[in-house]
Amino acid sequence: MCLALSFCLTSAAAAEVRVTDDRGVEIRLDAPAARIVPLYGAFGEILADLGREEAVAARTAADEFPPSIASRPSIGTHLRPNAELILGLSPDLVVQLGGRPEALEPVRFLEERGLVVAVFNLENFEQLFSVMERLGVLTGSGERAAERVSTMRAELAALEASRKGPQPRIFFEARYPNLLAAGQGSMVAEIMAAAGGRNCVEAPDKLVRLGEEEVLRLAPDIYLVQQGPMNPSPVPLAERPLFRTLPCLGTGQVFTVDQALFSRPGPRSIEAVRQLSTIIANWKTEVRP
């Protein structure tokens, strides 16, 4: 009996998983999470990439990837999730994106009612890799997470080693009108650097409000217009009176890109780097003397 009890206790201890989230809170589970509610779409993408798509118990209203999660119940938006619905789903783990104070309000509500909530930051590739590894631990997918992170790091290193020549100055339009641009604190700036370019907007924030005159002053070599929920129907630059004189418009270096790839940190951020690397390579061939 003692041996059997000892074995049970040892097995239970071995099944427990724990990580520290980006608030410095220790997240402890008695066993790897099997029912997870991600309050930001990137976490669902990461779980799918780790082979744990079946563990996603719900989605936010804006989530469309991977396509299989469309049948999951919607729990509202990232900043205003339906907490009562989440409680009714009885998840063993909820994952929220850090960085904005209002995102922590539903976290406190859920924790006060006994749910385990992990809060992670996602602003650059290093944070992405750290989140993938920690979600790997929390879901019993540590080996898969290590493999995926290693593969992504190797691709980024290979792209860096292949970069030659000048770095184009790139502008990323997040929204128009009421112009918003990606700043230095965004994942977009990381993607630009990894692809061999640089963000011409020097402000340290994720998103920066700019006047159109400032864009003319910056005169970027390449102009990226994101299309997605933030910018659903971008107005062509040629139809904006002040932008008609931008050099990048005359050289054909204006491109529409997918918001889900470029602005949402996740495993598909590597695809954004690939796409931008191709744009930059063509810029060097077609535009540079």
Side-chain angles (χ1 to χ4, degrees):
M1 179 68 71
C2 292
L3 288 175
L5 178 59
S6 175
F7 174 80
C8 290
L9 290 174
T10 302
S11 298
E16 182 184 63
V17 292
R18 63 177 73 185
V19 302
T20 300
D21 76 0
D22 289 328
R23 299 170 295 171
V25 174
E26 186 178 57
I27 307 301
R28 301 176 60 176
L29 299 173
D30 293 335
R35 285 183 59 78
I36 305 168
V37 174
L39 300 186
Y40 181 65
F43 297 125
E45 292 192 30
I46 291 172
L47 290 167
D49 194 66
L50 297 181
R52 296 308 311 273
E53 190 173 333
E54 82 288 345
V56 179
R59 60 181 178 84
T60 67
D63 294 344
E64 298 177 349
F65 190 88
S68 58
I69 70 170
S71 61
R72 309 292 203 276
S74 169
I75 47 79
T77 65
H78 156 55
L79 293 178
R80 290 185 175 87
N82 186 326
E84 296 295 342
L85 179 56
I86 295 170
L87 289 169
L89 291 169
S90 301
D92 42 30
L93 178 65
V94 177
V95 189
Q96 176 63 303
L97 181 69
R100 297 179 66 174
E102 56 266 46
L104 297 181
E105 293 177 11
V107 169
R108 287 188 287 269
F109 181 91
L110 295 171
E111 287 181 328
E112 288 168 357
R113 285 150 184 81
L115 293 189
V116 178
V117 185
V119 177
F120 296 125
N121 297 328
L122 276 176
E123 297 178 1
N124 52 56
F125 278 109
E126 284 305 316
Q127 288 182 352
L128 169 62
F129 296 152
S130 176
V131 171
M132 291 176 68
E133 290 167 344
R134 284 178 287 175
L135 281 177
V137 171
L138 289 172
T139 59
S141 309
E143 288 187 11
R144 167 69 176 175
E147 291 171 0
R148 289 294 296 128
V149 169
S150 177
T151 298
M152 293 170 75
R153 284 189 185 278
E155 182 166 357
L156 289 175
L159 286 167
E160 181 178 5
S162 68
R163 292 202 298 260
K164 296 178 182 178
Q167 290 182 304
R169 299 169 63 258
I170 306 173
F171 185 91
F172 186 91
E173 176 185 295
R175 186 184 70 194
Y176 182 92
N178 299 319
L179 184 62
L180 280 179
Q184 294 293 333
S186 65
M187 187 66 174
V188 171
E190 286 264 314
I191 290 168
M192 291 179 188
R198 62 188 178 95
N199 190 355
C200 66
V201 176
E202 297 293 340
D205 312 277
K206 282 186 183 180
L207 292 171
V208 184
R209 295 183 185 276
L210 292 177
E212 294 186 15
E213 296 82 1
E214 177 64 8
V215 182
L216 297 181
R217 187 191 70 79
L218 291 170
D221 299 306
I222 296 172
Y223 195 111
L224 303 179
V225 181
Q226 81 167 358
Q227 186 166 23
M230 281 188 70
N231 208 30
S233 301
V235 178
L237 265 66
E239 297 178 13
R240 307 177 192 180
L242 283 179
F243 283 15
R244 289 174 184 164
T245 59
L246 280 173
C248 58
L249 185 60
T251 56
Q253 297 301 301
V254 178
F255 303 90
T256 300
V257 298
D258 185 352
Q259 177 179 335
L261 284 182
F262 278 76
S263 291
R264 174 183 284 180
R268 293 191 296 163
S269 296
I270 289 289
E271 175 58 27
V273 176
R274 294 187 196 114
Q275 290 185 13
L276 186 53
S277 295
T278 299
I279 290 172
I280 291 172
N282 291 336
W283 169 80
K284 291 178 180 179
T285 300
E286 299 171 6
V287 180
R288 294 290 297 177

